[in-house]
Amino acid sequence: MAVFSKKLYENILEIEAMNFSHLDVITGYSSGDFLKKVTTDFPLLNLKVFIGMSTQGISQEDHRIYQNLTLNSNLVKVYYQIEGVPTHIKLLKFSDEFAESTYIGSANFSSNGFGDQKEIMAKVHFDSQIFFAEQERNSLLCTSDEVSNYIDFYKVDNLPQFIFEQEVNYDSPSLEKDIENTVEKNITLIKKWRNSLSYKQYNSVEVEIVKEKEHDPRWSTSGINGIFGDGESYLQQGPGKSFSEVLPSKERFKIITDDGITIEAELFGAFSKKIRFIEFDILKYIRNRIGIFENRPICKTDLDLYGRNTILFEKLDEGRYILNFEVS
């Protein structure tokens, strides 16, 4: 079994598309720009894509691209799942009349999955046809007149601005069915929780975002600035209360930010001392909160000017936590 965790586009798509004429895909999320790139790079590839989490909503722009690709090419078909349990499977099957090559793993069929994020895909040998047959039964072609009865097509203007100042992350699980309403609902939820909170219920852990330069020589290439060194941004546990005393250490959990955004996260590393945010750019988020729009590491001075250099994680209920970055 061959396993790939780097340069998935080059090591999987570019190589396999040279050897096979067809590619069938099941993915949780995708994006229009990525499908345009694939069809441009491989104009002779017969491409069939099933988007399994489509009932959570698809942007109007992505929908337009999917429809144009499907209508204007005999080689491309994009399907939306409209019934059954939402599908988060990532499955690729390259094939021709003589052979096939199949991959499973974590990467959505998107720019994030095959380029920007750290993912893993494995080449495996099994009969995947049962999965594609089930997916086709539960899906409609994106050009069907009936899709609007099942899918919410949202406008990008309704989404939080910070998400779109770099590549739009349409395939993120954070983009829920009606994001604008969800943000308002989350903020209301946090307010009600604070009003009803008792001391016995309260559990939290606080983390310093960036340390003084003299205390951490790697401040600009690790932690929240890790994208400039370690390859991903994360939060690093400091002295005092450990993350695992409050946050789950063996499973992913939901975080609701104090401005209403829902994201997913997990602890990782030795003794679970780091927090990784799933398909969410925590550095970009903090930079936008503090008004830093240059693509550079943030320093303690930036945060001091904002008025806060810590994030407080508060337990809302089982599996859900509040990210508090408010300035009092």
Side-chain angles (χ1 to χ4, degrees):
M1 179 176 66
V3 177
F4 301 88
S5 61
K6 296 179 180 179
K7 297 184 177 180
L8 300 184
Y9 195 88
E10 294 86 346
N11 290 328
I12 297 177
L13 280 175
E14 289 186 358
I15 291 176
E16 298 287 16
M18 294 174 58
N19 300 320
F20 294 98
S21 57
H22 291 72
L23 171 57
D24 294 348
V25 177
I26 298 176
T27 183
Y29 304 88
S30 189
S31 59
D33 287 342
F34 183 71
L35 261 61
K36 283 199 298 185
K37 174 178 173 56
V38 172
T39 55
T40 299
D41 290 349
F42 315 111
L44 300 180
L45 184 66
N46 287 268
L47 180 63
K48 186 184 289 187
V49 178
F50 296 94
I51 301 177
M53 302 295 289
S54 49
T55 53
Q56 289 199 3
I58 291 177
S59 79
Q60 292 179 3
E61 176 64 13
D62 274 351
H63 181 51
R64 181 188 65 79
I65 294 173
Y66 297 150
Q67 287 190 313
N68 286 342
L69 290 172
T70 300
L71 289 170
N72 297 328
S73 172
N74 294 325
L75 302 180
V76 180
K77 291 183 178 180
V78 180
Y79 292 83
Y80 301 151
Q81 181 172 332
I82 53 92
E83 61 182 35
V85 177
T87 300
H88 206 252
I89 293 170
K90 289 85 171 180
L91 173 61
L92 278 65
K93 183 181 76 171
F94 297 88
S95 64
D96 57 24
E97 57 183 316
F98 303 109
E100 64 182 47
S101 181
T102 304
Y103 293 80
I104 59 173
S106 67
N108 280 307
F109 199 65
S110 65
S111 298
N112 286 324
F114 274 76
D116 298 336
Q117 295 170 174
K118 192 170 185 178
E119 307 282 358
I120 189 168
M121 297 293 287
K123 187 172 184 176
V124 296
H125 300 282
F126 80 107
D127 185 1
S128 61
Q129 186 53 40
I130 186 173
F131 292 95
F132 287 104
E134 180 182 10
Q135 202 63 35
E136 191 152 8
R137 287 194 300 270
N138 291 338
S139 301
L140 279 177
L141 197 63
C142 68
T143 53
S144 169
D145 294 334
E146 299 178 28
V147 291
S148 59
N149 296 329
Y150 302 94
I151 311 296
D152 286 338
F153 299 107
Y154 55 80
K155 291 183 180 180
V156 170
D157 291 344
N158 289 339
L159 303 181
Q161 182 62 36
F162 74 86
I163 295 176
F164 300 105
E165 293 187 356
Q166 54 181 9
E167 181 188 14
V168 178
N169 186 11
Y170 292 125
D171 59 321
S172 171
S174 309
L175 303 186
E176 298 177 11
K177 195 172 183 180
D178 186 340
I179 293 180
E180 190 172 38
N181 289 340
T182 299
V183 168
E184 294 175 1
K185 184 172 70 174
N186 284 342
I187 292 173
T188 301
L189 174 67
I190 292 172
K191 289 179 179 177
K192 288 182 178 179
W193 174 78
R194 293 200 188 287
N195 290 335
S196 63
L197 192 63
S198 71
Y199 177 77
K200 289 183 179 180
Q201 295 172 316
Y202 189 72
N203 198 5
S204 67
V205 61
E206 195 162 18
V207 57
E208 192 174 14
I209 301 173
V210 179
K211 291 182 171 58
E212 295 277 6
K213 297 178 182 179
E214 56 268 27
H215 296 155
D216 183 8
R218 296 184 63 240
W219 70 271
S220 63
T221 56
S222 64
I224 198 165
N225 295 315
I227 192 67
F228 298 102
D230 298 336
E232 67 174 323
S233 294
Y234 54 90
L235 294 178
Q236 174 73 51
Q237 177 184 303
K241 198 171 189 178
S242 65
F243 288 154
S244 58
E245 290 181 66
V246 178
L247 305 171
S249 60
K250 296 183 179 180
E251 60 186 17
R252 291 183 177 181
F253 49 91
K254 296 290 184 182
I255 289 176
I256 301 174
T257 65
D258 56 46
D259 55 352
I261 308 302
T262 303
I263 55 183
E264 194 174 22
E266 64 183 1
L267 300 185
F268 74 107
F271 305 104
S272 301
K273 289 186 176 183
K274 299 177 182 179
I275 301 178
R276 171 190 291 132
F277 298 85
I278 311 303
E279 301 192 24
F280 184 83
D281 189 340
I282 186 64
L283 173 61
K284 190 72 175 180
Y285 172 74
I286 294 297
R287 279 202 304 227
N288 277 271
R289 287 286 297 264
I290 67 178
I292 301 295
F293 302 108
E294 300 93 342
N295 184 27
R296 63 167 176 83
I298 56 175
C299 63
K300 188 175 183 299
T301 301
D302 297 325
L303 293 156
D304 289 343
L305 289 173
Y306 169 72
R308 182 168 188 167
N309 184 31
T310 63
I311 288 175
L312 179 66
F313 292 97
E314 303 170 287
K315 184 173 182 178
L316 175 63
D317 54 31
E318 202 62 40
R320 292 195 301 175
Y321 302 82
I322 296 168
L323 184 158
N324 187 338
F325 189 53
E326 294 177 318
V327 177
S328 57

